Every structure is written in C-alpha cells, then in structure tokens.
Amino acid sequence: MDTQVTQAPSESKKKAEQDAVIDWERLTSLRVTKKVLDAFRNLDVPAMFLTPVNRRKDARKKYLGHGSRKMLAEAEMPFGIKGRKIFSDFLKGHNTGRSKCEEDQLQIVEEAINTHEVVVRETHSGLINAAVAVRGGGKILGVIRCAGFASGKPDALGVAKIKEKVGYQGAPMPGLEEEIKKIVFFSSEKIAVVVNLMEMLSGELGSYIEELNKDKQTTEEIEKHYYKGLITKNPVILDIIRQIKLIGASESSVIIYGESGTGKELISQLIHDHSNRSDKPLVTINCAALTETILEAELFGYKKGAFTGATADKKGLFEAADKGTVFLDEVGEMSLALQVKILRLIQEGTFMRVGDTEMRHVDVRIVSATHRDLRNLIELGKFREDLYYRLAVVELTLPPLRERPEDIPILIHHFLNEFQEKTGKQGITFSSEVMGIFQEYYWPGNVREIRNEIERVVALRGSHSLIKGKDLSKKFFYETYPEGVKAGDEDEEGYIKKMVEDFEKSLLSKYLRKHKWNKTKVARLCGITRQGLNKKIVKYRLDRRKF
C-alpha cells in the first residue's frame, strides 16, 4: 500500500491548524484596508479591536479566540489603531468597571458572530460599541470591534449622561470627570459613516482571505497538473501528453497545429524529451521571422564567400542538431523553393550549404508547427503536398485558451507566483470579479497573452493587493474585434471574410453576455430570427458559461 496517499490524523489536524492561521497584521497593509483605516483615523475613532478566529471544532459550542466565552475577551487584540488610551482602559482599572466592560465586549462580539450586519450597541458606561464579523468561504474568520466614543455632543449634558451611567456602578473612581472629558462624541451621521466603513473593511478582508485560501488550493493543483512547463487540466491536451509518450519513442515527423501562444514549442520540447534523441540538441527556428535567403542560410549553413558578409564557413541548424531534433515553427510561412530543399533533407538526409557543392548528411527528426491550415495552402498552391505528407505523419492540434476554461485559474496563479517571485512582491491576489472577467475573455493571444497581463498587473501593484476589475487592461472592457487578425495575413485568400466573421463572433459573444443569453433580444438587435441566431452560435461554437 502507498503510505503517502493518506496522512496520519495527527498530521492532518496539525496541517489544518497551520492553514487556519491568518496574519492579520499583514492584512492591515492591503491597499483598500489602509485607506479604510486612514478614514477611521481621520474621523478620530479612538480604538479598533480584532477577535481572531479559532477553527477547532467543538460539538458543544461555537467559539472564537481561545475556545470559551470567558476567554473571548483575552483573545481580542488591537487592530489598525493602536496605542491610544480610551475611557474603557480607565474603567478596567476598577474591579466593577472591568467586569462591566468585559460583559459589553463579549455581548457585542457574540451578536456580531450571529448576524451578517454591523451591530451597534451602547455599553453600560454610555459609550458606543460597533462590531462586525469578517466572513470568507462561508466561515467566520474574526470579529472587528470599534470602540471608545459616545453618541451625542461634547457638552455638559453629554458629560453628565456618561457620569450618571458610570457613577451608579458602585465604588467611587478618582479622576472620573477628567477622563469623561477626554471622550470623543460622534453625531448620528458620523456613526453611520463608521458603520459603512466597517462593512467595507469586513468585506475587503473577507474577500482577500477567501482568495488567499483559493490560491493555496490552486497552488497544489498547479503542482498536480504541471508537465515540464506545460500546465493543464484540459482533457484534449492531457490526451496529447499521453500520446507524446508513445510518439516520442518513434522517429516519425510530427506537426503541431494551434494558434499563436497555445504552447506548440512546449509540446515540441516534450516530444524531444521523450525520444531516444533527448540527450542530443533540440534546435528551434521560427520560419516566419526571417526572409527566405536568411532562413536558408540559417537552416543549411553557408560557404565562405557565398554572399556579402559570409567571411567564413558556417554550420547550419540542421548540422548543429545532428542526431537530435529540429523544431520548425510556423512552417506554413516557408517559400516553395525552400520547401523543396527541406523535402530532400527529410527523404534522403542530405543537403548542401548555401554557395557550396558538397553534399552533406545529417540525421535529424523534424517537428513542425503552424497556426495555418496547410491543406488550404496546398489547394492555393502555396505549400507542397508531398512535403505536407512528410511533415504530418503525426498531427496534434492544441485548442485555444478560450476552449480551455478549466486551465485559466491555474495558469493565472502559476504566472502570478512566477512574477511575484521575480519582483520580490507577495500577497497579491485576484478578486472573484477578475476571475470571472478572465473566464469570459476571448484571449486571442492565448497563454502568452494571459502571461503578459499578469506580468503587467504585478508590475503596477504593490504587495498584498487585491486586484479588481478596474486594475485590468482596458481591452477587457472595450472589445472591438479579436486581436488575432494580423496585418500579415492580408495575403491569405479569404482574409476579409475571416476578419468579418471574427468581428461578428466577437460582437455576438459580447452581447450574449451583456443580455445574459436572452436569444430573442440579441436576435432582434441583429435583425435576424432566433433560429438564425442559433445557427450563428453553432457556427462560431459560442459557449454559455457562468451567467
């Protein structure tokens, strides 16, 4: 039996308790939390306290802090506003006052635990206590209490009211009147502002802690679904990974189809790593990045004097990759003349350097990739059919990111961890709002685009930030047409038709989301029947998710 599958009960309990610990002090540095705490200080709120959660289970009672009602007061600690002496501190110096203060404190904390609203109560001493529970993931994480001020005006009547409330409690208290005069008084409007700020603070802290807990779970998921740089839960790609273990052991040529940024180069690396050539070089070249002449010189090498600047003999990439693998990215952009030479190399293993007459031999495996339909290029006379059959012994197709919604959360957290480590930042997390936006976005640049967006967000935000929708690039909110259509595609037949279809698909997707997939309404906006709209939804493979 595999003893690592299950964890000993004591170890599981210990781990659960460790996971439950929340660094509340660190949370005060959150961007929104700092602003709210500054607002409390500007209002001259005397003191704020926190009773942190203790998640241990007990069937007999529901508790925070140390586990009992009596110890609840001991669990409370200052939060955000510290070091200022308040009237309650004076009262606690007297036995009668201490018990009354603790009773008030316990009562309002317990009330806050049992409601989702901010609780406001007047204490035995005539002061105001306000408390609210911080909730996240369906659990109570702590209770924040605001204290130390009175309701009304700081006049003789207000002071007399407090003195009367405290005076009947028993033994005389030297210095009582002087301490009462130090109390700050809030109007009802100001107390309402305090209540609103407490709601905002509890919501911010709860959301952040909930997202942090999700991050921990996602980090574990990333480790589970990490395949030598490729991170996925998508069943199509997982099936490709399973095939690679078989493909790698063969010598067959492989062609990988997929949009830019879907991970074609990573797949080529996996194929090489699972082959008998894994201890030999994997050489990569992008056929679309170089002119025909330069590409030929890079692939096959050249003889000294073959052209201006060729001052010495140079090996090409095929020679450099001898006994290894060559990855030809964007092979569909290669000229017909160069295709003939590649075909001869695959068939016979021979080639000549540019400007040379000597035939050379190499043993390489070809893995190629393209975002274009090679069959369509064959019909247009832009790609050789015989070369296609040589390259496409095995065909793999990587789905675009928009068809892999299950991969978006784990990719986001992987890149977030990567860029936080690079920048030395920590505690940055994404709100549920942002995760929803990312799930619905078109992602024309696929994984490369999502990586760039995460890098931008981390660069522009400090540690312990909760990223919200307004922090994202404007492209997520002002869609025009998919950015995947490039000017370089204009030579392709049907370019304008493709651009129009992509534009239509983007608009339909946008307005279906906007109107919560009310097909009748969207069909009316399009000026077509509901049946016509259904045909377009099927044509563009639009997917209703998370509405």
Side-chain angles (χ1 to χ4, degrees):
M1 181 180 290
D2 187 352
T3 56
Q4 294 181 343
V5 173
T6 57
Q7 197 175 31
S10 58
E11 293 177 356
S12 297
K13 183 177 180 180
K14 184 178 179 182
K15 184 178 186 301
E17 289 178 354
Q18 288 174 346
D19 291 343
V21 174
I22 299 171
D23 187 350
W24 292 96
E25 183 66 29
R26 191 187 73 180
L27 295 184
T28 59
S29 63
L30 289 174
R31 180 163 50 103
V32 176
T33 304
K34 286 173 69 176
K35 289 182 178 179
V36 175
L37 291 174
D38 286 342
F40 277 120
R41 295 186 189 99
N42 292 335
L43 286 170
D44 203 22
V45 169
M48 292 187 70
F49 301 94
L50 166 74
T51 304
V53 73
N54 186 324
R55 292 185 184 175
R56 288 175 296 170
K57 302 296 181 182
D58 191 316
R60 295 171 297 171
K61 53 186 175 288
K62 183 178 182 181
Y63 51 79
L64 295 178
H66 294 280
S68 69
R69 188 178 189 277
K70 186 176 180 180
M71 296 297 288
L72 202 58
E74 297 297 326
E76 194 174 65
M77 60 186 185
F79 183 75
I81 301 174
K82 305 174 184 177
R84 181 171 173 179
K85 292 290 184 180
I86 59 174
F87 188 56
S88 299
D89 296 327
F90 169 77
L91 293 178
K92 286 180 180 179
H94 302 79
N95 291 333
T96 305
R98 174 181 292 275
S99 62
K100 292 291 185 182
C101 286
E102 288 186 356
E103 184 180 339
D104 291 331
Q105 175 183 336
L106 293 173
Q107 181 181 357
I108 196 165
V109 169
E110 288 184 334
E111 282 191 58
I113 291 171
N114 295 315
T115 181
H116 287 264
E117 299 175 353
V118 178
V119 180
V120 181
R121 295 285 181 270
E122 188 175 84
T123 68
H124 288 86
S125 59
L127 300 184
I128 298 297
N129 260 350
V132 63
V134 179
R135 301 171 188 273
K139 298 183 178 68
I140 296 175
L141 307 171
V143 175
I144 295 174
R145 182 171 69 92
C146 185
F149 57 92
S151 174
K153 296 180 180 179
D155 52 17
L157 183 61
V159 171
K161 177 185 173 184
I162 301 295
K163 189 174 182 180
E164 182 183 357
K165 285 266 186 182
V166 176
Y168 81 89
Q169 294 181 10
M173 300 179 185
L176 174 61
E177 191 163 344
E178 289 74 15
E179 291 296 328
I180 291 176
K181 289 179 180 179
K182 296 177 185 178
I183 296 172
V184 293
F185 286 78
F186 286 3
S187 65
S188 57
E189 291 81 5
K190 199 170 182 180
I191 293 174
V193 173
V194 170
V195 169
N196 289 336
L197 287 172
M198 292 192 75
E199 287 178 344
M200 186 185 302
L201 181 61
S202 66
E204 174 74 10
L205 292 172
S207 297
Y208 185 78
I209 295 168
E210 186 173 352
E211 295 304 326
L212 277 182
N213 289 335
K214 289 180 182 176
D215 287 352
K216 291 178 183 176
Q217 295 170 4
T218 309
T219 300
E220 294 172 1
E221 208 169 1
I222 289 172
E223 295 173 358
K224 183 179 177 182
H225 298 284
Y226 186 88
Y227 305 92
K228 293 188 177 181
L230 192 66
I231 301 168
T232 186
K233 296 195 297 182
N234 181 260
V236 175
I237 300 182
L238 290 176
D239 187 54
I240 289 173
I241 292 172
R242 284 191 290 270
Q243 292 179 49
I244 285 173
K245 296 175 182 178
L246 300 174
I247 295 167
S250 73
E251 290 294 312
S252 302
S253 297
V254 182
I255 189 163
I256 308 165
Y257 290 102
E259 295 179 6
S260 177
T262 50
K264 299 189 290 293
E265 190 168 347
L266 284 174
I267 292 294
S268 71
Q269 181 70 58
L270 284 175
I271 292 171
H272 176 72
D273 290 344
H274 283 86
S275 71
N276 297 326
R277 302 170 180 264
S278 58
D279 59 336
K280 301 298 181 182
L282 167 64
V283 176
T284 299
I285 189 163
N286 190 318
C287 301
L290 303 172
T291 64
E292 178 183 353
T293 303
I294 296 176
L295 179 60
E296 181 179 0
E298 287 295 317
L299 288 174
F300 300 111
Y302 52 81
K303 188 77 173 173
K304 178 181 178 181
F307 50 82
T308 304
T311 57
D313 291 356
K314 182 185 176 182
K315 281 185 177 182
L317 296 181
F318 282 117
E319 283 184 87
D322 193 24
K323 308 299 182 185
T325 306
V326 173
F327 176 54
L328 301 176
D329 198 7
E330 298 301 345
V331 70
E333 309 301 323
M334 194 181 294
S335 69
L336 288 171
L338 195 53
Q339 289 176 35
V340 174
K341 297 180 180 180
I342 296 292
L343 178 62
R344 183 174 65 184
L345 184 141
I346 295 174
Q347 289 177 331
E348 303 172 9
T350 60
F351 71 97
M352 285 191 295
R353 292 179 181 175
V354 177
D356 198 1
T357 56
E358 179 185 349
M359 194 68 71
R360 299 175 186 272
H361 294 264
V362 289
D363 173 20
V364 294
R365 182 184 192 178
I366 304 290
V367 177
S368 54
T370 181
H371 74 284
R372 304 179 71 174
D373 186 346
L374 294 187
R375 296 178 186 85
N376 184 43
L377 293 180
I378 291 170
E379 292 177 4
L380 296 173
K382 294 184 177 181
F383 201 85
R384 293 184 62 94
E385 187 172 10
D386 47 2
L387 177 58
Y388 166 76
Y389 288 118
R390 285 289 184 176
L391 292 175
V393 176
V394 177
E395 295 182 284
L396 302 175
T397 302
L398 296 179
L401 187 57
R402 58 186 167 276
E403 295 178 10
R404 300 161 45 190
E406 67 276 12
D407 284 350
I408 291 175
I410 56 176
L411 287 169
I412 288 170
H413 287 92
H414 169 73
F415 293 131
L416 180 60
N417 292 338
E418 176 187 334
F419 291 116
Q420 283 189 120
E421 187 175 340
K422 285 182 178 179
T423 58
K425 298 177 182 180
Q426 58 181 342
I428 299 175
T429 190
F430 290 92
S431 66
S432 299
E433 174 200 10
V434 169
M435 299 302 283
I437 291 170
F438 281 170
Q439 286 280 4
E440 293 176 2
Y441 183 58
Y442 185 77
W443 295 115
N446 294 291
V447 178
R448 188 177 293 119
E449 183 180 8
I450 201 170
R451 184 179 189 275
N452 289 346
E453 181 63 21
I454 304 304
E455 182 176 10
R456 189 194 74 85
V457 167
V458 173
L460 296 177
R461 290 287 169 260
S463 294
H464 312 302
S465 296
L466 178 64
I467 308 302
K468 299 183 178 179
K470 61 185 179 64
D471 299 319
L472 301 180
S473 301
K474 291 182 179 180
K475 66 184 177 184
F476 291 98
F477 310 99
Y478 302 102
E479 296 177 313
T480 51
Y481 59 87
E483 298 173 17
V485 181
K486 301 177 182 178
D489 294 331
E490 290 182 6
D491 293 334
E492 185 178 343
E493 188 172 316
Y495 162 74
I496 293 179
K497 179 183 178 184
K498 181 181 184 301
M499 189 171 69
V500 170
E501 287 179 345
D502 285 345
F503 184 39
E504 183 178 47
K505 178 178 179 179
S506 179
L507 281 176
L508 285 177
S509 177
K510 178 179 179 179
Y511 282 97
L512 283 167
R513 289 198 302 269
K514 180 178 179 180
H515 297 291
K516 302 187 186 302
W517 277 70
N518 185 327
K519 294 182 182 179
T520 302
K521 193 167 188 175
V522 175
R524 188 171 68 251
L525 289 172
C526 294
I528 58 177
T529 63
R530 185 183 170 92
Q531 290 77 10
L533 177 63
N534 280 329
K535 288 181 180 178
K536 290 184 181 293
I537 289 172
V538 172
K539 174 183 177 181
Y540 296 128
R541 301 194 330 192
L542 298 177
D543 187 11
R544 180 175 186 173
R545 295 172 293 179
K546 296 194 175 182
F547 288 97

